[in-house]
Amino acid sequence: MEQAPTLQTTPAVSLPVNMVADVQDSLLMALTDLQRLVGLLDHATSNLLERFGNAESALAHLAGRDNEDLRVIRTQLHQAVTELQFHDMATQLINHTSQILQGCAWRLAEEAMELEGDEQPLRLDPMPERPSPVTQSEMDSGSVELF
C-alpha cells in the first residue's frame, strides 16, 4: 500500500492583525529613535571637533615656547580626536540595527497581511548577513581599529 507524500510545512503562529500592526509600529518608532540618535551623535561630534580645533588654535600663540605643559595638552587633544572614532562605530551599529528593525517590520507586515486585488508583494531589502559591523567594545589606548 502506497502512502501519499506528506508536505513539509514550517510551523506557523496565527496573530491578530491589530497586534501585528502594533508590533510593526513599535519597530518603526524604534527605527525613528535610532535615526534621531544618529543626528544627535553627528551634532555632538561636530561640536567636539570644533571645540578641539578652537583649543588647538588658542594654544598656537604658545607654539614658540618650549613648554612641557603645552606638549601634554596637545597630546591629549590629539588623543581625544582619535577617540571620536566612537562616532563612526556607533553610527555603523545604529545603521545595522536600523536595517534589522526595518526588515523585521516589513517582513512582519508581509507575513500577516494578505495581498488585496492587484497588489504586488513587498520587495524587501535583505537582512544584513553579518551579526554586527562593529567588533570594537572599548576605546582604550591602542584598542582602536580603523575601518
Side-chain angles (χ1 to χ4, degrees):
M1 168 157 89
E2 283 185 41
Q3 291 186 356
T6 58
L7 297 174
Q8 294 286 344
T9 60
T10 57
V13 176
S14 179
L15 297 173
V17 172
N18 61 344
M19 180 180 163
V20 171
D22 288 346
V23 171
Q24 184 184 29
D25 285 346
S26 296
L27 289 170
L28 294 174
M29 281 191 293
L31 179 63
T32 299
D33 288 346
L34 287 173
Q35 291 167 345
R36 289 178 50 213
L37 180 57
V38 168
L40 292 170
L41 283 170
D42 287 345
H43 181 73
T45 300
S46 176
N47 287 345
L48 283 171
L49 285 172
E50 182 180 342
R51 284 178 174 64
F52 290 141
N54 291 343
E56 180 72 26
S57 295
L59 294 173
H61 74 279
L62 301 174
R65 301 179 190 164
D66 188 21
N67 185 333
E68 180 62 25
D69 289 337
L70 180 61
R71 280 193 289 275
V72 168
I73 292 169
R74 280 203 165 134
T75 299
Q76 291 296 315
L77 285 173
H78 289 288
Q79 288 174 345
V81 170
T82 300
E83 290 179 10
L84 285 174
Q85 289 177 327
F86 169 78
H87 171 266
D88 180 51
M89 293 185 303
T91 301
Q92 287 182 49
L93 188 56
I94 290 169
N95 288 335
H96 178 80
T97 303
S98 295
Q99 287 177 339
I100 292 171
L101 289 175
Q102 186 175 28
C104 288
W106 297 140
R107 177 75 187 264
L108 189 59
E110 182 181 56
E111 293 293 326
M113 311 290 183
E114 292 182 21
L115 296 178
E116 294 180 9
D118 60 346
E119 221 177 3
Q120 296 294 317
L122 290 173
R123 297 196 188 276
L124 302 174
D125 290 334
M127 294 287 258
E129 292 180 17
R130 289 179 37 185
S132 176
V134 178
T135 58
Q136 199 69 30
S137 60
E138 57 188 59
M139 291 296 296
D140 293 337
S141 177
S143 70
V144 177
E145 297 173 4
L146 299 176
F147 300 101

